[in-house]
Amino acid sequence: MKTRIWLPILLAVAALAGGCKNTLHGAGEDIERGGEKIQESTR
């Protein structure tokens, strides 16, 4: 009985964690590009 409850919860957490990885990666790239633009403007 407990397995039936925990399995969907575990799958939902895994799906959310997988989606967050891509979001954080994209945000990191955007921040990096912003830093590069600031460095270029100071030259």
Side-chain angles (χ1 to χ4, degrees), residues 6-23:
W6 285 108
L7 185 59
I9 293 172
L10 183 62
L11 292 174
V13 169
L16 288 172
C20 290
K21 177 184 175 244
N22 291 332
T23 303

Side-chain angles (χ1 to χ4, degrees), residues 14-41:
L16 288 172
C20 290
K21 177 184 175 244
N22 291 332
T23 303
L24 292 175
H25 180 72
E29 289 179 352
D30 292 341
I31 293 169
E32 183 178 2
R33 281 190 216 128
E36 289 172 356
K37 294 294 181 184
I38 292 171
Q39 286 179 348
E40 289 175 7
S41 68

